[in-house]
Amino acid sequence: QVALGALVAGVFINPALADRVGLTAAIADVRGWPQTMEALEAEARARGTVGIVVDSRNLYHGLQFSGRDRLLLRTWRGWNGALNHAESVGGLQSGTPGVWLMASERAGWEAFFRQDFDRMEPAGEVVIELGPKRQRRLTLWLVEGVRPVTRTREELARVP
């Protein structure tokens, strides 16, 4: 147990060790959060946005940890209420003013996102290398005029 614990600790302390022992994919999601926040923050500041809105709790929590005391961070709500902690504490509310940089792991959801904003314009993408064969690829939009539509859980489940 001690040897296994030491290996696990070593992998998280030294990500290169994870690559050498073939565990890159196992820890890819815990890598690159500071770089992701820096890239999104640079995009948001360059465009003069109020803050960053993301489309998943995983993104929200990873960025929240890496970006405390930086730009405002909110999460998009796909349903009528909060489905998780991220949406409870950081959900983008109807009528929230200003232009926001939206970062999405779900590029195929664009039509779904568009329903909730008066304006949504493509703004490129951010790609963060997480290991030899893994990337965090985020599609970016500038969004404004938050007006979430009413959806059922069944409608949300049908989204690609």
Side-chain angles (χ1 to χ4, degrees):
Q1 287 179 339
V2 172
L4 179 59
L7 176 63
V8 169
V11 162
F12 283 97
I13 292 169
N14 181 3
L17 176 61
D19 297 337
R20 286 196 298 274
V21 297
L23 294 175
T24 301
I27 69 158
D29 287 342
V30 300
R31 286 183 167 176
W33 288 113
Q35 297 88 339
T36 304
M37 186 60 178
E38 289 167 10
L40 291 175
E41 184 177 38
E43 290 284 342
R45 290 195 189 285
R47 297 166 190 278
T49 66
V50 171
I52 300 166
V53 61
V54 296
D55 69 341
S56 77
R57 66 180 178 219
N58 182 45
L59 274 176
Y60 179 82
H61 290 303
L63 295 173
Q64 181 187 39
F65 180 77
S66 298
R68 287 194 168 105
D69 302 322
R70 290 187 169 177
L71 289 176
L72 288 175
L73 179 64
R74 297 290 181 262
T75 185
W76 170 81
R77 291 181 177 179
W79 191 58
N80 305 330
L83 294 177
N84 53 59
H85 179 72
E87 292 178 4
S88 293
V89 299
L92 191 62
Q93 301 293 321
S94 182
T96 300
V99 177
W100 292 76
L101 178 70
M102 183 170 191
S104 172
E105 296 177 310
R106 303 173 178 110
W109 285 29
E110 181 178 354
F112 198 59
F113 298 143
R114 280 190 183 283
Q115 296 172 1
D116 288 345
F117 300 100
D118 291 331
R119 183 174 73 95
M120 185 171 171
E121 297 176 9
E125 71 177 5
V126 164
V127 179
I128 304 297
E129 297 298 327
L130 302 177
K133 298 178 183 177
R134 293 281 306 257
Q135 297 177 326
R136 179 173 295 124
R137 183 174 299 275
L138 303 174
T139 303
L140 305 179
W141 290 284
L142 294 176
V143 297
E144 184 177 24
V146 183
R147 50 168 179 74
V149 300
T150 301
R151 295 184 184 93
T152 64
R153 286 182 187 260
E154 290 77 25
E155 289 172 311
L156 189 60
R158 286 194 302 264
V159 177

